[in-house]
Amino acid sequence: FTSSCSTNFHSDCLICPIMSKDTRKRAQEPSETGNASCSSPPPAKIRKRHEEDGASNNANQRILDFDYRYIVAPMVGASELPFRLLCRKYGAQLVYTPMMIASQFATSKEYREKEFQTTPFDRPLVCHFAANRPDDFAKAAKLAEPDCDAIDLNLGCPQRTAFVGHFGSYLLDAKDRELILSIVRAGVAAVKIPIFVKIRLLDTYEETLELCRQLYEAGATLIAVHARFRATFHRNGPGARDGPALLDQVQKLKQEFSTGKGSKKRLLVTNGNTITYEDVVKNLEMTRCDGIMSAEGILDNPALYLERLGSREDAANENSKLVEVKGGKVFEEWPKRDKWMK
């Protein structure tokens, strides 16, 4: 894929450019994770736009130089490289890796090579880590930094393996609050790219609100909220896939972080209740969130976000459709040109 796309532009692929010789050379140079890497400064015009919007008001929060409206969730056994590229081709803007264990990623080259494959076209990309030790998270983030655009802390996994390993949503109890905040702070200190966090709802709205405030204050740039409650090990009570997502709570959170004193325009992503593109539109309209994340919906239909680029009827009436392509450091290396989708 990398070889063919570095020399030819594929009209049926949104993510295949003609790369310069210098870019191809850098793309072939392996990073510490063993993946091809390409680096350049963030797009000046996008950085300026975010600064004007005030997208970050915390000294530790980073400016996002990529699009994050339509997102593919982290999915173990699903959001690996081939599926990520497929979703990008059909309208996804930002994609997460599957969950990776930070302690193993930080210490084992074999684990990194097995669990994390990418290409220069797999951008913008968020590396998603399970961690319960600040130093493990910081080391893993540092190793992944050359090959991604943000690092995400998993505080949402409801599986029994997360209970046994004490990570994911099982770190959301009050007794672990200082631990998870120290993990976020360690990640912020270790890397120059943004730190994201993916969470679930706590037992009350007030508790979830306080958690989000604390995560932002610790340096998280973006929080994705899976709007269902934490699960228990025995699966009794609410949690996991128990009924529809409670999007009204996400709506309240976004209102708070759009108008609340001292927390203006902090980035919040909604997750849940998206099976069709109509669901995507309604979810965003209701919650007013900065982006939307889909897991099972996009797993069933990798073209879930395709309609944002226009209807098939519109496409049938035109010979081609102009699509603006942004995001990811490699884009800055491409010659300035229109990118077309047949």
Side-chain angles (χ1 to χ4, degrees), residues 20 22-23 26-27 37-44 47 65 120 123 145-149 192-193 327-334:
S20 68
D22 289 341
T23 301
R26 278 197 298 275
S37 177
C38 184
S39 61
S40 67
R47 174 175 286 275
D65 58 4
R123 307 294 283 269
E145 183 178 17
D147 298 303
C148 66
D149 302 273
K192 296 180 181 179
I193 59 178
K329 295 175 183 177
V330 72
F331 282 80
E332 288 301 290
E333 299 295 328
W334 301 345

Side-chain angles (χ1 to χ4, degrees), residues 100-107 129-142 151-155 165-168 171 176-188 190 195:
M100 298 180 286
I101 306 299
S103 59
Q104 296 183 52
F105 194 95
T107 58
F129 288 107
N132 55 22
R133 288 165 48 97
D135 56 337
D136 288 340
F137 186 67
K139 290 176 183 176
K142 192 70 176 175
I151 303 292
D152 187 69
L153 175 61
N154 177 351
L155 295 179
H166 194 55
F167 61 83
L171 287 175
D176 287 316
R177 185 58 47 83
E178 185 51 41
L179 171 61
I180 63 175
L181 296 179
S182 66
I183 293 173
V184 172
R185 294 188 198 106
V188 171
I195 299 296

Side-chain angles (χ1 to χ4, degrees), residues 49-125:
R49 182 190 72 196
H50 282 281
E51 288 172 346
E52 291 172 350
D53 289 346
S56 172
N57 67 335
N58 184 311
N60 289 325
Q61 291 175 332
R62 309 294 157 78
I63 302 297
L64 302 191
D65 58 4
F66 50 83
D67 289 323
Y68 46 85
R69 185 72 167 170
Y70 302 96
I71 306 171
V72 179
M75 294 175 282
V76 173
S79 59
E80 281 81 4
L81 177 60
F83 187 75
R84 296 198 299 267
L85 294 176
L86 180 66
C87 292
R88 293 181 191 281
K89 179 175 180 178
Y90 292 106
Q93 291 179 325
L94 179 64
V95 183
Y96 284 54
T97 68
M99 178 186 74
M100 298 180 286
I101 306 299
S103 59
Q104 296 183 52
F105 194 95
T107 58
S108 171
K109 181 179 180 181
E110 182 181 358
Y111 180 88
R112 294 194 295 271
E113 292 176 347
K114 177 182 177 183
E115 299 296 329
F116 181 41
Q117 295 89 35
T118 188
T119 77
F121 308 106
D122 186 28
R123 307 294 283 269
L125 178 67

Side-chain angles (χ1 to χ4, degrees), residues 241-313:
R241 296 184 178 88
D242 184 63
L246 305 178
L247 297 180
D248 57 320
Q249 292 203 30
V250 181
Q251 181 186 44
K252 289 173 66 178
L253 287 170
K254 184 55 188 172
Q255 288 173 349
E256 178 70 27
F257 291 116
S258 295
T259 61
K261 184 178 179 181
S263 56
K264 189 175 182 180
K265 291 196 176 180
R266 285 175 168 172
L267 301 178
L268 194 73
V269 167
T270 175
N271 176 211
N273 296 358
T274 52
I275 301 299
T276 67
Y277 185 70
E278 184 180 4
D279 296 332
V280 171
V281 173
K282 288 181 177 179
N283 190 322
L284 287 170
E285 288 178 348
M286 174 188 174
T287 64
R288 313 303 296 176
C289 278
D290 302 284
I292 185 166
M293 175 183 286
S294 178
E296 292 187 0
I298 206 162
L299 190 59
D300 289 340
N301 176 19
L304 176 67
Y305 296 133
L306 182 62
E307 288 186 49
R308 74 179 184 82
L309 301 176
S311 67
R312 293 186 179 186
E313 289 74 18

